[in-house]
Amino acid sequence: MKPRLALWAVLVTVALSLLSACAGAAESAPERPRPATVTPTAPTPASSPTPSGTLLVADFDSDTVTFVDPAPGKGPTGSVRVGTAPYGLALGPDGRAWVATAEGVAVVDTRTRTSLGLIPYATQADGPATMGEYRAGGMGIALSPDGRHAYVGVNVPDTTGVLEVIDTTTRKVTDTVPVGRRPFDVDVSADGREVYATGHDSYDVTAVRTDTLKPRRLEVAPYGTEGGLGSWLKPHYAAVRPTDGKLLLPFEGERLAVLDPRTGRVTVEPMTANTHQHGTTVTPDGTLFVVGTGPIGGDDKEASLTIRRPDGTERVIPLDGAHEAVAVSRDGRTAYVTGGFTRAGSWDGITVVDVPTGDTRRVAAGVRPLGIAVLT
């Protein structure tokens, strides 16, 4: 392990002075210049629906979601306006995508590439919608297994976040629940009985029962909480392990925190990528995919994709440049890693990873693509 705790005073001072993406204070460094808004394409005729295997990405530096053909030599095939700075997205079995933006949750019919409207948040922010990681509004989002509810983590700058519950039939917010600070990720248990909001700046996961909406704070801090808001060593994204319902939260390519939501107990397993980590997903067979964003310290390694088997063995595939989130094809043979990234250094594309061979190639995709889903 790296001697990080011995360097806390230096790390905290540097992190707060730079006000980087993993610090909790407001940014002083300018955001990446906002590109021109993508011009959405005309809706796809009902007679020619969006092909299966198309990717959908959230354009964090714009106000659209973009459809992407990941085949060699292909790329963006169209876009739909959804609202300012879309972050996470969730795809339902009916082909509707639910997109967390700064303004509300947008609903998109992915088969016809049309907007079905915007659901405003019950939690109102001061002033107009803005760009950037610290903006107010939706971050993580997930659907219940039956598709009847959407759960979105809403960031409220300088205080705790809120989990908003949306009835997907009426498309209205029905309930709000307090959760941790900056809810990067939202996940749902396989039986739909609990929702988990990962609080980046509060070192926790808030478990919320869906019948009573009673929240429980579960601390996840394998490095401790000494660094406070200025620490890099905080939770980002989680994945629910299909075999036992435990939450898997990677830290720094060094430690995998395994959280049992029933007891709140956290066990720690070693990881091998040795790089700052963000996006995660898990396949039905229990294989965990983790995005290494790149170095934050002098002894960190570059960006990578970790593929961790259920027995704990890992393959680490190098990636070129910053990345944020990951999705995997239905057959598990291809991973798609977005280049959007919440920190500086993002790029407008996706890395396509051939899982059996580890070969990689880049595909153009949207504007600072962050959240991603594979259409079926």
Side-chain angles (χ1 to χ4, degrees):
M1 300 296 174
K2 299 191 289 285
R4 293 184 184 276
L5 295 180
L7 299 176
W8 270 121
V10 175
L11 287 177
V12 171
T13 301
V14 172
L16 291 176
S17 64
L18 295 177
L19 295 174
S20 61
C22 285
E27 294 168 292
S28 61
E31 274 289 308
R32 192 178 85 158
R34 181 175 179 179
T37 300
V38 173
T39 302
T41 57
T44 300
S47 59
S48 56
T50 304
S52 175
T54 298
L55 307 179
L56 182 69
V57 298
D59 296 327
F60 193 51
D61 261 1
S62 187
D63 58 358
T64 54
V65 290
T66 293
F67 296 83
V68 181
D69 182 342
K74 303 293 185 179
T77 61
S79 61
V80 175
R81 282 202 174 96
V82 292
T84 303
Y87 191 100
L89 55 84
L91 182 66
D94 57 1
R96 289 185 296 173
W98 302 77
V99 186
T101 80
E103 301 173 52
V105 172
V107 187
V108 175
D109 185 329
T110 64
R111 294 171 180 169
T112 61
R113 302 187 191 184
T114 54
S115 170
L116 301 179
L118 186 72
I119 304 166
Y121 299 119
T123 306
Q124 297 298 318
D126 295 333
T130 59
M131 309 290 285
E133 182 190 350
Y134 297 97
R135 60 135 177 83
M139 298 186 77
I141 188 168
L143 289 170
S144 61
D146 61 11
R148 296 176 59 184
H149 295 94
Y151 303 97
V152 57
V154 178
N155 179 41
V156 183
D158 302 319
T159 187
T160 53
V162 176
L163 183 75
E164 298 205 358
V165 183
I166 295 173
D167 184 309
T168 57
T169 300
T170 64
R171 299 183 193 167
K172 292 182 179 180
V173 175
T174 59
D175 295 283
T176 61
V177 183
V179 295
R181 294 179 67 128
R182 278 210 294 162
F184 260 55
D185 197 18
V186 174
D187 298 275
V188 181
S189 64
D191 60 12
R193 293 182 179 179
E194 281 198 316
V195 180
Y196 309 111
T198 301
H200 177 270
D201 287 352
S202 46
Y203 297 87
D204 60 24
V205 170
T206 302
V208 180
R209 284 189 48 167
T210 56
D211 55 353
T212 65
L213 297 182
K214 180 180 179 180
R216 293 180 296 123
R217 180 182 182 270
L218 309 173
E219 184 173 279
V220 186
Y223 290 91
T225 63
E226 182 181 349
L229 291 179
S231 172
W232 292 99
L233 309 179
K234 297 182 285 191
H236 293 83
Y237 298 85
V240 179
R241 188 158 62 189
T243 54
D244 58 10
K246 293 182 179 180
L247 275 70
L248 308 176
L249 298 100
F251 286 75
E252 304 305 304
E254 297 176 331
R255 304 179 186 184
L256 179 68
V258 182
L259 169 65
D260 186 338
R262 294 165 296 183
T263 64
R265 183 186 176 201
V266 176
T267 57
V268 178
E269 301 175 5
M271 297 188 75
T272 60
N274 189 24
T275 188
H276 191 60
Q277 291 177 318
H278 275 203
T280 65
T281 194
V282 65
T283 56
D285 68 354
T287 300
L288 179 68
F289 290 75
V290 184
V291 180
T293 67
I296 59 168
D299 55 353
D300 288 346
K301 294 182 180 178
E302 296 296 331
S304 62
L305 178 68
T306 291
I307 303 174
R308 183 183 179 93
R309 300 299 180 188
D311 63 2
T313 59
E314 293 185 348
R315 292 170 57 209
V316 179
I317 298 173
L319 300 176
D320 180 14
H323 291 75
E324 180 72 20
V326 59
V328 179
S329 62
R330 177 177 288 185
D331 62 10
R333 295 181 61 84
T334 309
Y336 307 99
V337 195
T338 58
F341 197 31
T342 52
R343 291 169 53 204
S346 62
W347 54 284
D348 298 336
I350 292 169
T351 294
V352 180
V353 181
D354 184 275
V355 173
T357 67
D359 293 340
T360 65
R361 57 182 172 82
R362 283 189 168 196
V363 176
V367 184
R368 197 178 185 181
L370 220 63
I372 183 171
V374 183
L375 305 186
T376 58

